[in-house]
Each structure stands twice: as C-alpha cells, then as structure tokens.
Amino acid sequence: MAIFSGVSLFFCRFRTENGAIPLESSLTPESFSMKLPTQLNGASSMRRAEFTAGRYCALNVLSNLRSDSDEVRIGPHGEPVWPDGVVGSITHSGDLAIAAATLVTLHRGLGVDFEHVIKSEAIAEIESIVLTPNEINFCRKCIDFSYTVTLLFSCKESVSKAIFKYVGRYMDFKEIELAAMYNEFALFRPLGPLIVDFQGAVFKVYHRNASGGAMTVCLLDSDT
C-alpha cells in the first residue's frame, strides 16, 4: 500500500493465541522464519503478539521496497533497526499493527503512529504529559477535544520515531509544539535545545482519521 511516492505501508490485525497471527492469513511466526528475540523472554502474550505482527508488517514493506535484507533488529533502546539503506517505523494499537518504510535516498527519516481515541478517563493524564499550554488551549477550542488530544499525541510519536536515529533517544513530548494544523498535515517546531541537528527545523506530519483513531506519518526530507 503506497501512501506517498516511494513509501511502502502495510498493516494487519492480529489475535494473541499462540502469539500474533494476522487475521487475513494463517501465518505463525515460525512460518515466516521469525524467532522471537531473547529480549521478549517472559514478556506477556500481548507484547509477543504486537512484536510478531509488527515484524510481519515490516517484512512485507521490505519486500515491497525490494530490500536485500528482511531483518529488522532490536536496538539498545528497543527501537527497530532497519537494514542499511532503509528507514522505517512500526506502530501497534489494540489489535492493529502497521509498518512503513522508504529508502534513505528519498527520505532520511520516517515515523508512523496510530492511536485509538483516548478514553475520557485518561485524557487529563495524557494532556499533562504530552501537551504544552498552547496546545491545550488549541485542543479546547476544537469540536472533538478527545480526538484532537489523541491526534497531537500521535503526531509527536511520529516525529520522535522519525528523528530517533539522529538523536539516539526518545524525545520528551514537550520538546516540540504545534505550529499549524491543516486538514491533511500539521507542522511542529522544536522548543528549546532539542538537538543541534534540528534547531530551526519544521516537522511536517501527515494525518488522517482512520479506524476509530488517528494515524500519522512524519517524513524527514534532506532539508529538515
């Protein structure tokens, strides 16, 4: 599934019996030559299911890109490490897993995220952790407060994933702030000393309301 020129995206829904099994097929982890890493020893069945489904999606996007390698390793911070020449991202929410990837010759970073709309009882906590005062004021002016908070949360997750390989850490959500919101994309700017590489940058995050939640994609171009 192409969402932008040169970007491959694949999703599946999964269940947790015996690990993740994409519902549109009868594949098991073993049937596509994937072994769960030792880091997941002792993990819950849901975490193992999320991982397997995410890697299944990653395998498909790498195949679509005709990558020479189909291995996506786990980095020291738990981040996916893509083959040389590829940048990508994986997200899970509920029973949905999504992976997206592209070639570094087209984009130097990519982040994808999906969040189901945050429930009302959790909004206050998410709001305090994720949003700046200006963003809280923006959300309160919107018709659907819960969805807008969810959307900004997802946008920031996508930015964090897109820049991770350059900063080596997951950013604090309040290190960037919404600068403008449009129907198909939002713009974010760094606040304070985010990272030297991105001072003065503007992060463009594409978004859509899909499957009862917010899906976002951040692409880093060479001039970001």
Side-chain angles (χ1 to χ4, degrees):
M1 174 183 176
I3 50 174
F4 305 102
S5 178
V7 176
S8 177
L9 182 145
F10 190 91
F11 72 92
C12 74
R13 293 189 179 275
F14 60 92
R15 55 182 181 265
T16 59
E17 300 95 305
N18 300 316
I21 303 174
L23 296 184
E24 70 270 20
S25 73
S26 59
L27 287 175
T28 63
E30 293 75 19
S31 67
F32 59 99
S33 301
M34 196 208 80
K35 293 182 179 179
L36 290 176
T38 56
Q39 293 96 318
L40 292 185
N41 289 346
S44 68
S45 61
M46 186 61 183
R47 177 67 190 106
R48 294 196 301 272
E50 289 175 344
F51 181 88
T52 305
R55 288 314 194 266
Y56 171 72
C57 293
L59 179 68
N60 277 275
V61 296
L62 288 172
S63 176
N64 292 340
L65 293 174
R66 295 179 172 81
S67 171
D68 292 333
S69 172
D70 60 7
E71 182 182 14
V72 180
R73 295 178 289 106
I74 298 181
H77 299 281
E79 77 281 7
V81 179
W82 295 79
D84 290 344
V86 175
V87 290
S89 182
I90 299 170
T91 185
H92 329 86
S93 183
D95 66 347
L96 177 68
I98 304 171
T102 187
L103 303 177
V104 295
T105 52
L106 299 176
H107 301 282
R108 70 183 185 119
L110 184 157
V112 65
D113 188 69
F114 179 85
E115 302 291 338
H116 285 96
V117 175
I118 299 166
K119 296 180 179 179
S120 57
E121 58 267 27
I123 280 289
E125 180 181 3
I126 295 297
E127 181 183 0
S128 65
I129 295 171
V130 173
L131 304 182
T132 66
N134 287 335
E135 291 170 334
I136 292 172
N137 289 335
F138 171 80
C139 291
R140 287 178 177 164
K141 294 176 183 177
C142 295
I143 295 174
D144 191 336
F145 177 74
S146 294
Y147 177 77
T148 308
V149 172
T150 304
L151 175 59
L152 294 190
F153 177 33
S154 183
C155 284
K156 292 188 175 192
E157 283 278 13
S158 284
V159 173
S160 182
K161 294 174 182 180
I163 68 174
F164 184 90
K165 68 176 292 184
Y166 299 102
V167 302
R169 65 179 175 87
Y170 290 108
M171 70 176 195
D172 185 283
F173 288 115
K174 295 181 182 179
E175 289 184 278
I176 61 172
E177 184 177 65
L178 179 69
M181 177 68 75
Y182 300 97
N183 288 338
E184 295 185 351
F185 65 90
L187 302 177
F188 289 80
R189 60 185 178 88
L191 293 179
L194 179 61
I195 28 280
V196 174
D197 284 351
F198 294 102
Q199 285 299 302
V202 175
F203 301 108
K204 187 173 186 178
V205 186
Y206 297 90
H207 64 84
R208 67 170 56 177
N209 187 328
S211 299
M215 179 177 173
T216 59
V217 178
C218 178
L219 295 170
L220 297 185
D221 296 323
S222 58
D223 57 352
T224 302

